[in-house]
PDB file of all heavy atoms in Angstrom:
ATOM      1  N   LEU A1559     140.180 156.864 115.220  1.00  0.00           N
ATOM      2  CA  LEU A1559     139.102 157.713 114.697  1.00  0.00           C
ATOM      3  C   LEU A1559     139.763 159.001 114.221  1.00  0.00           C
ATOM      4  O   LEU A1559     140.546 159.601 114.959  1.00  0.00           O
ATOM      5  CB  LEU A1559     138.110 157.999 115.830  1.00  0.00           C
ATOM      6  CG  LEU A1559     136.901 158.864 115.525  1.00  0.00           C
ATOM      7  CD1 LEU A1559     135.978 158.166 114.542  1.00  0.00           C
ATOM      8  CD2 LEU A1559     136.141 159.154 116.816  1.00  0.00           C
ATOM      9  N   VAL A1560     139.492 159.394 112.988  1.00  0.00           N
ATOM     10  CA  VAL A1560     140.150 160.578 112.439  1.00  0.00           C
ATOM     11  C   VAL A1560     139.120 161.521 111.829  1.00  0.00           C
ATOM     12  O   VAL A1560     138.239 161.095 111.082  1.00  0.00           O
ATOM     13  CB  VAL A1560     141.187 160.168 111.363  1.00  0.00           C
ATOM     14  CG1 VAL A1560     141.837 161.409 110.768  1.00  0.00           C
ATOM     15  CG2 VAL A1560     142.243 159.241 111.956  1.00  0.00           C
ATOM     16  N   LEU A1561     139.226 162.796 112.176  1.00  0.00           N
ATOM     17  CA  LEU A1561     138.359 163.822 111.584  1.00  0.00           C
ATOM     18  C   LEU A1561     139.226 164.756 110.757  1.00  0.00           C
ATOM     19  O   LEU A1561     140.220 165.276 111.256  1.00  0.00           O
ATOM     20  CB  LEU A1561     137.661 164.637 112.691  1.00  0.00           C
ATOM     21  CG  LEU A1561     136.844 163.871 113.730  1.00  0.00           C
ATOM     22  CD1 LEU A1561     136.228 164.848 114.731  1.00  0.00           C
ATOM     23  CD2 LEU A1561     135.768 163.022 113.067  1.00  0.00           C
ATOM     24  N   GLU A1562     138.844 164.965 109.528  1.00  0.00           N
ATOM     25  CA  GLU A1562     139.563 165.937 108.698  1.00  0.00           C
ATOM     26  C   GLU A1562     138.938 167.304 108.926  1.00  0.00           C
ATOM     27  O   GLU A1562     137.711 167.445 108.922  1.00  0.00           O
ATOM     28  CB  GLU A1562     139.448 165.541 107.229  1.00  0.00           C
ATOM     29  CG  GLU A1562     140.221 166.456 106.288  1.00  0.00           C
ATOM     30  CD  GLU A1562     139.939 166.107 104.831  1.00  0.00           C
ATOM     31  OE1 GLU A1562     140.582 165.177 104.315  1.00  0.00           O
ATOM     32  OE2 GLU A1562     139.047 166.751 104.238  1.00  0.00           O
ATOM     33  N   LEU A1563     139.793 168.316 109.154  1.00  0.00           N
ATOM     34  CA  LEU A1563     139.302 169.657 109.473  1.00  0.00           C
ATOM     35  C   LEU A1563     139.644 170.634 108.356  1.00  0.00           C
ATOM     36  O   LEU A1563     140.820 170.786 108.007  1.00  0.00           O
ATOM     37  CB  LEU A1563     139.915 170.143 110.797  1.00  0.00           C
ATOM     38  CG  LEU A1563     139.690 169.217 112.005  1.00  0.00           C
ATOM     39  CD1 LEU A1563     140.422 169.755 113.225  1.00  0.00           C
ATOM     40  CD2 LEU A1563     138.199 169.064 112.289  1.00  0.00           C
ATOM     41  N   ASP A1564     138.635 171.289 107.814  1.00  0.00           N
ATOM     42  CA  ASP A1564     138.816 172.297 106.761  1.00  0.00           C
ATOM     43  C   ASP A1564     139.659 171.772 105.603  1.00  0.00           C
ATOM     44  O   ASP A1564     140.325 172.551 104.915  1.00  0.00           O
ATOM     45  CB  ASP A1564     139.483 173.569 107.340  1.00  0.00           C
ATOM     46  CG  ASP A1564     138.634 174.193 108.434  1.00  0.00           C
ATOM     47  OD1 ASP A1564     137.388 174.165 108.311  1.00  0.00           O
ATOM     48  OD2 ASP A1564     139.205 174.694 109.426  1.00  0.00           O
ATOM     49  N   GLY A1565     139.684 170.467 105.441  1.00  0.00           N
ATOM     50  CA  GLY A1565     140.411 169.885 104.327  1.00  0.00           C
ATOM     51  C   GLY A1565     141.919 170.044 104.396  1.00  0.00           C
ATOM     52  O   GLY A1565     142.627 169.699 103.461  1.00  0.00           O
ATOM     53  N   ARG A1566     142.437 170.534 105.536  1.00  0.00           N
ATOM     54  CA  ARG A1566     143.890 170.740 105.560  1.00  0.00           C
ATOM     55  C   ARG A1566     144.593 170.181 106.794  1.00  0.00           C
ATOM     56  O   ARG A1566     145.801 170.078 106.855  1.00  0.00           O
ATOM     57  CB  ARG A1566     144.235 172.211 105.404  1.00  0.00           C
ATOM     58  CG  ARG A1566     143.645 173.079 106.470  1.00  0.00           C
ATOM     59  CD  ARG A1566     143.769 174.553 106.131  1.00  0.00           C
ATOM     60  NE  ARG A1566     143.080 175.332 107.125  1.00  0.00           N
ATOM     61  CZ  ARG A1566     143.636 175.651 108.296  1.00  0.00           C
ATOM     62  NH1 ARG A1566     144.864 175.313 108.566  1.00  0.00           N
ATOM     63  NH2 ARG A1566     142.925 176.326 109.185  1.00  0.00           N
ATOM     64  N   ARG A1567     143.852 169.810 107.814  1.00  0.00           N
ATOM     65  CA  ARG A1567     144.511 169.129 108.934  1.00  0.00           C
ATOM     66  C   ARG A1567     143.577 168.073 109.486  1.00  0.00           C
ATOM     67  O   ARG A1567     142.403 167.984 109.101  1.00  0.00           O
ATOM     68  CB  ARG A1567     144.958 170.088 110.035  1.00  0.00           C
ATOM     69  CG  ARG A1567     143.951 171.127 110.375  1.00  0.00           C
ATOM     70  CD  ARG A1567     144.501 172.074 111.416  1.00  0.00           C
ATOM     71  NE  ARG A1567     143.417 172.904 111.914  1.00  0.00           N
ATOM     72  CZ  ARG A1567     143.514 173.719 112.928  1.00  0.00           C
ATOM     73  NH1 ARG A1567     144.660 173.829 113.572  1.00  0.00           N
ATOM     74  NH2 ARG A1567     142.489 174.428 113.321  1.00  0.00           N
ATOM     75  N   ARG A1568     144.090 167.254 110.369  1.00  0.00           N
ATOM     76  CA  ARG A1568     143.291 166.157 110.883  1.00  0.00           C
ATOM     77  C   ARG A1568     143.430 166.041 112.387  1.00  0.00           C
ATOM     78  O   ARG A1568     144.504 166.244 112.946  1.00  0.00           O
ATOM     79  CB  ARG A1568     143.736 164.839 110.241  1.00  0.00           C
ATOM     80  CG  ARG A1568     143.469 164.831 108.750  1.00  0.00           C
ATOM     81  CD  ARG A1568     143.751 163.493 108.177  1.00  0.00           C
ATOM     82  NE  ARG A1568     144.998 162.955 108.702  1.00  0.00           N
ATOM     83  CZ  ARG A1568     145.671 161.988 108.127  1.00  0.00           C
ATOM     84  NH1 ARG A1568     145.228 161.452 107.025  1.00  0.00           N
ATOM     85  NH2 ARG A1568     146.789 161.555 108.653  1.00  0.00           N
ATOM     86  N   LEU A1569     142.317 165.734 113.012  1.00  0.00           N
ATOM     87  CA  LEU A1569     142.312 165.468 114.444  1.00  0.00           C
ATOM     88  C   LEU A1569     142.193 163.951 114.595  1.00  0.00           C
ATOM     89  O   LEU A1569     141.257 163.346 114.079  1.00  0.00           O
ATOM     90  CB  LEU A1569     141.118 166.173 115.097  1.00  0.00           C
ATOM     91  CG  LEU A1569     140.937 165.955 116.597  1.00  0.00           C
ATOM     92  CD1 LEU A1569     140.362 167.211 117.220  1.00  0.00           C
ATOM     93  CD2 LEU A1569     140.013 164.785 116.875  1.00  0.00           C
ATOM     94  N   ALA A1570     143.161 163.339 115.260  1.00  0.00           N
ATOM     95  CA  ALA A1570     143.174 161.882 115.371  1.00  0.00           C
ATOM     96  C   ALA A1570     143.045 161.453 116.823  1.00  0.00           C
ATOM     97  O   ALA A1570     143.730 161.965 117.704  1.00  0.00           O
ATOM     98  CB  ALA A1570     144.479 161.324 114.779  1.00  0.00           C
ATOM     99  N   PHE A1571     142.125 160.538 117.073  1.00  0.00           N
ATOM    100  CA  PHE A1571     141.988 159.883 118.376  1.00  0.00           C
ATOM    101  C   PHE A1571     142.846 158.632 118.288  1.00  0.00           C
ATOM    102  O   PHE A1571     142.500 157.676 117.613  1.00  0.00           O
ATOM    103  CB  PHE A1571     140.511 159.554 118.599  1.00  0.00           C
ATOM    104  CG  PHE A1571     140.191 158.834 119.884  1.00  0.00           C
ATOM    105  CD1 PHE A1571     141.137 158.700 120.905  1.00  0.00           C
ATOM    106  CD2 PHE A1571     138.928 158.302 120.079  1.00  0.00           C
ATOM    107  CE1 PHE A1571     140.827 158.051 122.090  1.00  0.00           C
ATOM    108  CE2 PHE A1571     138.609 157.641 121.257  1.00  0.00           C
ATOM    109  CZ  PHE A1571     139.564 157.507 122.255  1.00  0.00           C
ATOM    110  N   ASN A1572     143.998 158.680 118.945  1.00  0.00           N
ATOM    111  CA  ASN A1572     144.955 157.584 118.911  1.00  0.00           C
ATOM    112  C   ASN A1572     144.861 156.817 120.224  1.00  0.00           C
ATOM    113  O   ASN A1572     144.810 157.426 121.284  1.00  0.00           O
ATOM    114  CB  ASN A1572     146.367 158.168 118.721  1.00  0.00           C
ATOM    115  CG  ASN A1572     147.421 157.102 118.543  1.00  0.00           C
ATOM    116  OD1 ASN A1572     147.898 156.503 119.501  1.00  0.00           O
ATOM    117  ND2 ASN A1572     147.779 156.859 117.297  1.00  0.00           N
ATOM    118  N   ASP A1573     144.817 155.495 120.161  1.00  0.00           N
ATOM    119  CA  ASP A1573     144.551 154.733 121.378  1.00  0.00           C
ATOM    120  C   ASP A1573     145.114 153.317 121.280  1.00  0.00           C
ATOM    121  O   ASP A1573     144.447 152.400 120.811  1.00  0.00           O
ATOM    122  CB  ASP A1573     143.035 154.697 121.615  1.00  0.00           C
ATOM    123  CG  ASP A1573     142.668 153.962 122.888  1.00  0.00           C
ATOM    124  OD1 ASP A1573     143.525 153.864 123.781  1.00  0.00           O
ATOM    125  OD2 ASP A1573     141.515 153.501 122.980  1.00  0.00           O
ATOM    126  N   THR A1574     146.310 153.147 121.767  1.00  0.00           N
ATOM    127  CA  THR A1574     147.000 151.856 121.674  1.00  0.00           C
ATOM    128  C   THR A1574     146.137 150.700 122.160  1.00  0.00           C
ATOM    129  O   THR A1574     145.974 149.695 121.476  1.00  0.00           O
ATOM    130  CB  THR A1574     148.288 151.877 122.512  1.00  0.00           C
ATOM    131  OG1 THR A1574     149.075 152.987 122.096  1.00  0.00           O
ATOM    132  CG2 THR A1574     149.075 150.594 122.321  1.00  0.00           C
ATOM    133  N   ARG A1575     145.585 150.819 123.340  1.00  0.00           N
ATOM    134  CA  ARG A1575     144.917 149.663 123.946  1.00  0.00           C
ATOM    135  C   ARG A1575     143.452 149.503 123.550  1.00  0.00           C
ATOM    136  O   ARG A1575     142.799 148.561 124.002  1.00  0.00           O
ATOM    137  CB  ARG A1575     145.078 149.729 125.466  1.00  0.00           C
ATOM    138  CG  ARG A1575     146.532 149.510 125.874  1.00  0.00           C
ATOM    139  CD  ARG A1575     146.733 149.619 127.366  1.00  0.00           C
ATOM    140  NE  ARG A1575     146.130 148.508 128.089  1.00  0.00           N
ATOM    141  CZ  ARG A1575     146.151 148.391 129.410  1.00  0.00           C
ATOM    142  NH1 ARG A1575     146.736 149.332 130.136  1.00  0.00           N
ATOM    143  NH2 ARG A1575     145.596 147.373 129.987  1.00  0.00           N
TER     144      ARG A1575
END
Side-chain angles (χ1 to χ4, degrees):
Chain A
L1559 180 66
V1560 178
L1561 305 180
E1562 183 186 277
L1563 304 176
D1564 300 324
R1566 59 192 175 82
R1567 43 183 191 172
R1568 295 187 316 199
L1569 178 147
F1571 178 11
N1572 185 279
D1573 182 23
T1574 305
R1575 292 178 70 181

